[in-house]
Amino acid sequence: MTAKRILIVEDEKAIRDMIAFGLRRAGYEVSEAEDCRSARAQIVDSRPDLLLIDWMLPDMSGLELIRTLRRAKDTEEIPAIMLTAKVEEQDKIGGLDGGADDYVTKPFSPRELLARIQAVLRRAAPAGGSDVVEVEGLKLDDSSHRVSTGEREIALGPTEYRLLHFFMTHPERVFSRGQLLDRVWGGSTYVEERTVDVHIRRLRKALEPFSLERLVQTVRGSGYRFSTRES
Amino acid sequence: MTAKRILIVEDEKAIRDMIAFGLRRAGYEVSEAEDCRSARAQIVDSRPDLLLIDWMLPDMSGLELIRTLRRAKDTEEIPAIMLTAKVEEQDKIGGLDGGADDYVTKPFSPRELLARIQAVLRRAAPAGGSDVVEVEGLKLDDSSHRVSTGEREIALGPTEYRLLHFFMTHPERVFSRGQLLDRVWGGSTYVEERTVDVHIRRLRKALEPFSLERLVQTVRGSGYRFSTRES
DNA sequence: AGGACCAGTCACGTAACTGTCACATCGGGC
DNA sequence: GCCCGATGTGACAGTTACGTGACTGGTCCT
């Protein structure tokens, strides 16, 4: 399982840095935004697993940001936690009504924040939450079991689908043939390692018409990698 | 938007009151039941938007209540959250398998409960609403139990009807044979998985004269999907 | 009792997919 | 350039998953 990615939307740099530091230590991949405009841009193109949103922001209230996100189909499932300095119950309820999954009142302990983040992430999983991954226009929607690029649909066999799904959820990392057999085929089966090559080949062939085969890269001597960057 | 109505099914009065208090504060309309019998009565005549069901109840387990509800057409779509004191993973899985949309382990914070209620309601919203569904000229009116396309009526057997209804209210998503058995046949029945294929076949055959059989799509290795987009 | 309808199962055919092999090609070290 | 191990690639055959018609037994009418 890849590290979960969290986006912090908070205008005060000091607080942002402190939170980011704590989360990185806990193994999360953290990105930051200081206003709603840049937050939305980042959300759309990097699809974080969770959002930490400050209540007060320069351009738009955090609550509004959440409401906006909930209205769009591809962002509605991203869980969000509100950070607020206000303590009035009314505001807390407002935060929940607007679609935040939880809220944390400042000042808060790093530990409390971590606990809540974990709780929210755990909760998102069984719901079958954000099971759509998108990289370079290649979109894989696990709930509908579809792979497409823009308009056109890409047909994949079951194994190629699982392979691509695994790659897309674990990008930028090299996997040996043995590891892929373990994680994509399942640990209990025995098949030749070279079989992986063949399925890689089939996956590439399916992506070729869309010039996306470059995403599946060979790392000579080590295995394969799914990456947007050229090797 | 009117206040959402929530029914709490829980035998311990103290817990019931506490939950009810919290939910009313948050703007929900709350009703209560202390056993399954009275719960079912209330569900049928006041059709709440969401159910909070305790795991252990005097007359019937909460899980059974959910299964029963899922079997009846007019109650199958009501989302339910299980409250459970048990922490074993096995039970959680059982709860989800039985048709609960989420589960909350006691003890829980009101805050967490609120968040989950929000999440479940948000998720259920698009599916809920009027009892007539229409896709590509195929119209299913659940109140009169009729399926038609334009002028002509389509005759379906009971199982085919439930299957189509389930599909139309959950489009663009793949369901395994097991999931379909659970949600369309009802969690506690045991039939062969291949039986699903036969009913899929019968449904397709009924849709064929209208060239709508393409809406019911096979996802090899995974199950079936109802979708307007070509596969 | 007889008939209509329907659910569930089975058996068989077919199309799709899988794993493996054999051979081609590549890339780095010398 | 030449060699050798690593990877790409096309073809093949066994297997699996699904589509489909038929059969059985059950239930509900009349």
Side-chain angles (χ1 to χ4, degrees), chain A residues 70-207:
Chain A
R70 292 292 183 257
R71 234 168 281 137
K73 182 152 193 165
D74 56 330
T75 53
E76 70 179 352
E77 296 287 47
I78 303 177
I81 295 178
M82 287 282 293
L83 301 176
T84 166
K86 307 195 179 185
V87 289
E88 299 83 13
E89 195 63 21
Q90 208 44 50
D91 289 335
K92 294 181 177 176
I93 292 175
L96 288 169
D97 275 350
D101 295 86
D102 204 348
Y103 57 89
V104 177
T105 309
K106 296 189 229 175
F108 50 83
S109 71
R111 175 167 306 188
E112 182 192 1
L113 183 61
L114 275 175
R116 289 186 186 274
I117 286 172
Q118 283 181 341
V120 169
L121 285 176
R122 231 183 299 122
R123 197 179 311 152
S130 83
D131 46 11
V132 28
V133 213
E134 184 161 8
V135 167
E136 300 247 328
L138 178 65
K139 190 165 89 181
L140 184 149
D141 181 343
D142 200 39
S143 72
S144 68
H145 216 271
R146 284 193 138 116
V147 184
S148 59
T149 166
E151 306 300 290
R152 298 186 37 193
E153 176 119 20
I154 303 179
L156 293 179
T159 306
E160 284 69 61
Y161 178 87
R162 288 200 310 275
L163 188 56
L164 178 61
H165 183 256
F166 178 75
F167 271 139
M168 291 185 75
T169 50
H170 300 82
E172 308 296 342
R173 239 184 91 177
V174 179
F175 295 97
S176 71
R177 291 172 175 73
Q179 287 175 311
L180 289 171
L181 283 176
D182 247 28
R183 318 240 351 222
V184 177
W185 272 253
S188 54
T189 52
Y190 178 71
V191 289
E192 288 290 324
E193 292 210 334
R194 288 302 311 276
T195 300
V196 174
D197 297 30
V198 179
H199 284 277
I200 289 281
R201 155 71 177 153
R202 288 171 182 160
L203 177 56
R204 280 176 175 157
K205 205 168 195 171
L207 296 177

Side-chain angles (χ1 to χ4, degrees), chain B residues 56-195:
Chain B
M56 289 298 296
L57 289 168
D59 52 347
M60 191 206 269
S61 98
L63 188 51
E64 288 224 40
L65 173 58
I66 293 180
R67 288 205 168 125
T68 316
L69 293 174
R70 291 290 183 259
R71 234 170 282 138
K73 292 158 279 295
D74 56 332
T75 53
E76 72 177 350
E77 292 295 313
I78 302 177
I81 296 179
M82 286 283 291
L83 301 176
T84 166
K86 308 192 178 186
V87 290
E88 298 83 13
E89 195 64 22
Q90 207 46 48
D91 290 333
K92 295 179 178 178
I93 306 254
L96 288 172
D97 274 352
D101 296 85
D102 203 349
Y103 54 87
V104 177
T105 309
K106 295 190 224 176
F108 52 83
S109 68
R111 184 177 299 184
E112 179 186 2
L113 184 61
L114 270 178
R116 290 192 191 228
I117 287 172
Q118 285 282 337
V120 169
L121 284 178
R122 214 188 310 123
R123 200 180 311 142
S130 109
D131 52 3
V132 31
V133 212
E134 183 161 5
V135 166
E136 298 245 330
L138 178 65
K139 192 164 85 181
L140 184 148
D141 181 345
D142 200 39
S143 63
S144 68
H145 235 257
R146 295 210 148 142
V147 184
S148 59
T149 166
E151 305 300 291
R152 299 180 46 194
E153 179 131 346
I154 303 179
L156 292 179
T159 306
E160 283 69 62
Y161 177 85
R162 287 202 310 274
L163 187 56
L164 179 61
H165 182 258
F166 178 75
F167 271 139
M168 290 185 77
T169 50
H170 298 85
E172 306 295 339
R173 248 187 88 166
V174 175
F175 295 96
S176 69
R177 290 172 176 73
Q179 288 175 311
L180 289 171
L181 285 177
D182 207 42
R183 314 272 310 249
V184 176
W185 273 253
S188 54
T189 52
Y190 178 72
V191 290
E192 288 289 324
E193 293 210 334
R194 288 300 309 276
T195 299

Side-chain angles (χ1 to χ4, degrees), chain A residues 51-77:
Chain A
L51 310 174
L52 283 180
I53 304 179
D54 190 29
W55 178 271
M56 289 298 296
L57 289 167
D59 51 349
M60 191 203 272
S61 98
L63 187 52
E64 288 226 39
L65 172 59
I66 293 180
R67 291 207 167 119
T68 315
L69 292 173
R70 292 292 183 257
R71 234 168 281 137
K73 182 152 193 165
D74 56 330
T75 53
E76 70 179 352
E77 296 287 47

